[in-house]
Amino acid sequence: SQTIHQWPATLVQPVGSPLSLECTVEGTSNPNLYWYRQAAGRGLQLLFYSVGIGQISSEVPQNLSASRPQDRQFILSSKKLLLSDSGFYLCAWKQGANAFFGQGTRLTVV
Amino acid sequence: GQNIDQPTEMTATEGAIVQINCTYQTSGFNGLFWYQQHAGEAPTFLSYNVLDGLEEKGRFSSFLSRSKGYSYLLLKELQMKDSASYLCAVRRDSGGYQKVTFGTGTKLQVIP
């Protein structure tokens, strides 16, 4: 069966520090992978999506970047965090009609 | 662009039936998802509709009308644990890419 792992579950980082969130998928190959952010009390905002290794599309201009170094690995990064980067970050994969989320990372920038 | 609209909040009684509506406007439409999200947790997949009609899965059913840009999620025999946010999400195919865009969610409160 397919599973998606995302870590860490919670993170507190100071303003200006770097960020790296990792997401890996098991039990599937060549999945479409997505990074979403959910701010408190708001909907899910699509940040990045990837259809394959090294193929990243950005949905909104922001302080974040994404990379896909391996087929089943999707990384969300920032060189310098802003207060506005706080939120609930979710990795998701989709293949065919199935779409599933990782457990999410709650990021608080202080 | 695309628009996905769903009510912000709803309240229903335990044991009752509730219908959560979602309307959308998008190009390249190729399916609609419903997710359940409990507070502080990741969304969990409930249903996916790509053809018109009703899909039933136990207490939950989802309906889609592509011509009307309309879907609903029907929850029967409500239980207290059904209190959660319900997210409508639209899949759009564009230039060979598949994008999934979410509405802001409907917060459902089930009361005794």
Side-chain angles (χ1 to χ4, degrees), chain A residues 15 17-18 22 29 35 43 51 55 65 72-73 77 88 96 104-105 108:
Chain A
V15 168
S17 64
E22 188 163 343
S29 60
W35 277 110
V51 299
Q55 300 179 63
S65 62
R72 300 173 199 173
Q73 184 183 31
S77 305
F88 192 38
T105 297
T108 304

Side-chain angles (χ1 to χ4, degrees), chain A residues 34 36 38 49 94 99 102, chain B residues 35 37 42 48 98-100 102:
Chain A
Y34 304 80
Y36 288 88
Q38 188 175 39
Y49 67 94
K94 199 184 80 62
Chain B
Y35 286 85
Q37 186 179 25
Y48 176 67
Q98 299 170 7
K99 300 184 183 182
V100 180
F102 284 79

Side-chain angles (χ1 to χ4, degrees), chain B residues 17-84:
Chain B
I17 298 174
V18 70
Q19 177 174 313
I20 302 174
N21 297 324
C22 172
T23 58
Y24 62 89
Q25 294 176 321
T26 187
S27 57
F29 175 84
N30 200 8
L32 187 142
F33 296 89
W34 281 98
Y35 286 85
Q36 180 191 61
Q37 186 179 25
H38 285 100
E41 298 181 10
T44 55
F45 173 80
L46 292 178
S47 67
Y48 176 67
N49 293 66
V50 64
L51 300 176
D52 285 356
L54 187 68
E55 299 263 351
E56 297 186 69
K57 281 186 184 180
R59 294 190 299 114
F60 292 5
S61 303
S62 56
F63 171 83
L64 176 67
S65 169
R66 294 177 67 134
S67 60
K68 295 182 179 177
Y70 168 67
S71 172
Y72 67 73
L73 180 69
L74 192 71
L75 292 76
K76 302 176 186 175
E77 301 170 16
L78 279 173
Q79 302 174 9
M80 298 301 291
K81 66 178 182 179
D82 296 330
S83 293

